[in-house]
Structures are given as C-alpha cells and as structure tokens.
C-alpha cells in the first residue's frame, strides 16, 4: 500500500471498481443535458410558481349560489378531478421512471415541475368541491334525486378512473417515452384549450383566476411535451407508429368525458349516466362556471385535434379516424382500458 496524502490509501494494484449497478436504477448519479430548451422551461416553471392558498377564496361565497347550483358546480369539479387529480401520481411515477431509465436531467426536472403543478390543480378542484358541497365528491349524504344522480355518476366516473390507472402503470414500463409523451401531449393540448376557454367564459373572478393560472401551467406542460417529442420522435422505431395512432384515439375517447361527451368505447357507464351529466353540467354552466356548450366543445376539440394532426404529420404518424367529429383518418378499433394513458 502506497500513501500519498495523509490518510489516503492507494492500493498497490490500483483502485477497485465496484460491480456494475443493475439497471433500471437511479444510480449512478449524473446531470446530463441534451436539450437546453427543457432547462429554460424548467426555469420558467419556477418563475411562474403560484400558491393556491393565496387566491381570493374568501370572496367565493357558496351562499351566492342555489343549492342545486352548488351540487352542479361540485359535480363539474368532481368530473375534472377524475383527470386533474390523477396528474400528481401519473407524473410522480413518470418522474421516478425518468430517473430509473437515466433520462437527461432536464426531463426529470420538467416531470417534477408537472407533478408540482398538478398538485396545485388538484388542490383547486378539492377547494372548490369542499366549498360547494362539504364532504364531496363522495362523503356526503344525497337526498333529492338530483343529488343522488350526482353522487352515483361520480362513483361510476371513479370506477372508470380506477380502470385506467392500472393500464397506465403497465404502459409506463412497456413503451418508449415518445409513445407516452404523445398521449401526454394530447392531454395537454386538450387541457390548455379547455382552461383558456373557461377563463374567458366564466363569470366569477375566482373561477377566472384559477382557470387562467391552470391554463398557463398546462400551456407550459404542452411546451415540455412538444420539446421532448422533437427530441425523441426522429429516433422512433416504425413499429411504434400505429400504437401512437391508437393512443391519439384513446386520448380523444378518454378526455371527451370532460371536454365534450364520452364515446361508448372504453367507458363502462349505466344507461342513465349521460342524461344526468347533461343536466348537472348545464346547472353548473348557468351558475357561471364557464363550461362551453356542446357545439362550442365540439369546435374546441376540432381545433385542438387539427393542431395535434399537424404536429404528428411531420413524423409520418397517421391520424386516427374520429367519426364523432367528422374527422377522417385510420380506423384503430375499440379502445380498451389498457390503451388509456393520457392525463391532464
Ligand atoms: Fe393539470
Ligand atoms: Fe398538465
């Protein structure tokens, strides 16, 4: 043994390398940057950070609404929560996955920022629900048929949310990031359009403030998805392309529940579900929430999907047929629970 600095031991045969670290694994630690634009977006997320507690919740007096309106408003936020409240867990899982597969550092950080934002979005849905119907979405006692219909629909909605969660957990291990991110991108295009539209249409300043802030976050999430896809799509193997086409239809089927009306694929719902949802959402609409009408929502979807179609056409990926909106494309068959990845 040779000694150089006091206390430092240099073995005669040289230092011994540890065994290779089994992968996937967080280790070894490194902070590689391949896409500087993602570094900038992550910085932007820190500058844009906001605290839901700082919003003017005190000015939102539930007494300004009738009890039916409160149930309708609670219903819409419970519907939103089926999507937005899955965000923290979905992106937390994606963050862990990105660490384990040694994605470049800004990808991991951007996923983390989405997790952070989605937690805020969930908190807003939670706060609105508690204001309008304390104990909601599920822990309250409905008395009238309207209230019973609202609670029962929410139970059915969360039954379907639970089915999608299992599919997502498997998909994240199976598919490359480019596939997962096409689905996320659909969710972000949809949510940024939704919140921008509602911020403009809603009548109440607290709704407007929340929708404006969430919309800004969602636009940044979309930027993250697009930047990541620019980076990973060129290397995408052809075998994954039909899968992406199917994912886009899956995104439409899943997100239409909150953006429009759900097509029958995937969704397991009782026959009365949609009729009751129409009544409840209509009550929320008339209470000034800013929900677009059926036709406005359809138009909104067409604009968002045209944007997605234009983005993916650059990578030779075909667009799925969406006959519900008269959009032509490739038929992809029925969407099953395991096809659903998209979130908000
Ligand atoms: Fe969100
Ligand atoms: Fe998002």
């Amino acid at each position: 043994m040779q000694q150089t600095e006091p206390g430092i031991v240099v073995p005669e045969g040289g230092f011994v390398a540890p065994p290779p670290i089994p992968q996937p694994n967080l280790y070894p630690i490194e902070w590689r940057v391949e896409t500087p634009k993602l570094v900038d977006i992550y910085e932007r997320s820190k500058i844009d950070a906001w605290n839901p507690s700082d919003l003017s919740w005190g000015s939102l007096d539930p007494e300004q609404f009738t009890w039916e309106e409160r149930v309708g408003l609670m219903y819409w936020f419970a519907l939103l929560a089926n999507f937005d409240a899955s965000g923290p867990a979905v992106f937390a899982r994606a963050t862990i996955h990105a660490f384990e597969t040694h994605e470049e550092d800004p990808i991991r950080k951007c996923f983390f920022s989405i997790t952070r934002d989605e937690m805020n979005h969930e908190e807003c849905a939670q706060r609105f629900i508690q204001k309008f119907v304390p104990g909601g979405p599920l822990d309250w006692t409905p008395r009238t048929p309207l209230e019973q219909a609202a609670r029962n629909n929410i139970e059915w909605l969360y039954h379907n949310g639970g089915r999608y969660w299992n599919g997502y957990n498997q998909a994240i291990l199976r598919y490359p990031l480019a596939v997962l991110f096409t689905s996320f991108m659909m969710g972000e295009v949809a949510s940024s359009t939704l919140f921008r539209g509602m911020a403009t249409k809603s009548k109440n300043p607290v709704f407007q403030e929340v929708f404006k802030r969430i919309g800004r976050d969602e636009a940044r999430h979309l930027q993250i998805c697009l930047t990541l896809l620019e980076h990973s799509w060129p290397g995408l193997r052809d075998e994954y392309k039909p899968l992406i086409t199917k994912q886009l239809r899956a995104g439409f089927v899943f997100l239409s529940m909150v953006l429009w009306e759900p097509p029958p694929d995937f969704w397991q719902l009782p026959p009365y579900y949609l009729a009751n949802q129409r009544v409840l959402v209509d009550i929320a609409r008339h209470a000034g929430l800013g929900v677009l009408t059926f036709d406005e929502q359809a138009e909104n979807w067409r604009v968002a999907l045209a944007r997605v179609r234009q983005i993916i056409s650059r990578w030779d990926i075909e667009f799925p047929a969406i006959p519900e909106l008269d959009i032509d494309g490739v038929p992809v068959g029925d969407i099953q629970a395991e096809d659903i990845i998209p979130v908000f």
Side-chain angles (χ1 to χ4, degrees):
M1 297 266 172
Q2 163 200 351
Q3 292 220 342
T4 47
E5 297 293 317
I8 288 286
V9 178
V10 180
E12 253 153 48
F15 288 103
V16 182
I21 297 171
Q23 299 294 326
N25 197 311
L26 271 61
Y27 292 90
I29 299 291
E30 26 95 56
W31 290 280
R32 213 174 67 254
V33 176
E34 289 161 11
T35 321
K37 195 170 164 200
L38 287 174
V39 178
D40 297 342
I41 301 176
Y42 179 61
E43 283 305 310
R44 169 57 45 198
S45 80
K46 290 190 274 184
I47 296 163
D48 285 351
W50 55 287
N51 178 1
S53 310
D54 292 342
L55 304 188
S56 50
W57 298 102
S59 69
L60 184 71
D61 178 11
E63 300 298 323
Q64 72 192 96
F65 301 100
T66 66
W67 176 249
E68 284 70 28
E69 286 175 334
R70 286 171 59 174
V71 172
L73 289 164
M74 181 281 288
Y75 180 82
W76 190 83
F77 282 103
L79 173 62
L80 177 70
N82 193 48
F83 302 87
D84 242 336
S86 72
V90 163
F91 282 100
R93 194 156 180 71
T95 306
I96 294 172
H97 181 70
F99 270 93
E100 287 179 339
T101 51
H102 296 264
E103 295 298 338
E104 58 171 313
D105 182 55
I107 288 187
R108 305 183 308 212
K109 286 190 162 59
C110 282
F111 280 12
F112 166 75
S113 77
I114 300 179
T115 312
R116 167 73 268 177
D117 294 337
E118 292 304 332
M119 198 67 98
N120 282 344
H121 304 174
E122 178 187 13
E123 183 180 331
C124 292
Q126 174 190 8
R127 281 173 180 270
F128 278 122
I129 288 171
Q130 294 313 310
K131 272 242 176 221
F132 295 129
V133 178
L138 293 171
D139 192 15
W140 58 294
T141 311
R143 290 172 216 283
T144 64
L146 179 84
E147 294 168 29
Q148 287 163 345
R151 222 199 95 135
N152 183 258
N153 263 20
I154 294 168
E155 286 171 345
W156 275 102
L157 198 56
Y158 294 172
H159 156 69
N160 285 279
R163 292 169 59 229
Y164 126 81
W165 176 249
N166 293 333
Y168 171 71
N169 270 336
Q170 287 155 16
I172 192 141
L173 301 174
R174 228 184 304 144
Y175 302 139
L177 271 192
V179 176
L180 295 171
F181 260 79
T182 311
S183 301
F184 292 160
M185 188 251 304
M186 265 291 272
E188 307 298 1
V189 168
S191 55
S192 49
T193 338
L194 171 80
F195 289 113
R196 207 166 10 169
M198 291 185 72
T200 319
K201 267 202 104 175
S202 62
K203 301 258 158 51
N204 183 293
V206 183
F207 294 148
Q208 287 167 350
E209 199 178 356
V210 169
F211 295 149
K212 206 172 74 205
R213 283 171 192 261
I214 295 183
R216 194 175 60 185
D217 289 346
E218 302 302 354
R220 197 173 52 254
H221 300 174
L222 177 60
Q223 234 14 73
I224 292 172
C225 289
L226 292 176
T227 309
L228 207 141
L229 289 171
E230 293 277 347
H231 180 75
S232 55
W233 259 342
L236 185 72
R237 297 212 304 271
D238 280 350
E239 66 193 86
Y240 286 117
K241 290 183 178 173
L243 189 65
I244 291 186
T245 304
K246 186 158 197 179
Q247 280 302 318
L248 294 171
R249 163 99 196 147
F252 167 75
V253 168
F254 188 58
L255 297 168
S256 282
M257 176 57 88
V258 64
L259 289 181
W260 193 34
E261 286 193 351
D265 323 26
F266 167 72
W267 293 101
Q268 291 175 349
L269 299 166
Y272 53 83
Y273 177 94
L274 197 53
N276 291 345
Q277 173 153 307
R278 282 182 188 144
V279 174
L280 286 155
V281 172
D282 211 40
I283 292 174
R285 187 178 285 122
H286 284 107
L289 180 61
V291 190
L292 307 186
T293 64
F294 179 87
D295 291 333
E296 287 168 338
Q297 286 179 328
E299 192 43 37
N300 199 42
W301 245 146
R302 280 191 199 97
V303 171
L305 290 175
R307 186 165 178 207
V308 174
R309 181 176 210 138
Q310 192 233 335
I311 294 167
I312 64 154
S313 66
R314 286 182 304 182
W315 280 278
D316 265 348
I317 295 168
E318 289 183 299
F319 201 77
I322 314 273
E324 295 85 346
L325 291 167
D326 295 321
I327 295 176
D328 55 329
V330 186
V332 291
D334 261 8
I335 300 300
Q336 309 295 329
E338 58 272 19
D339 300 320
I340 305 283
I341 302 178
V343 287
F344 261 29

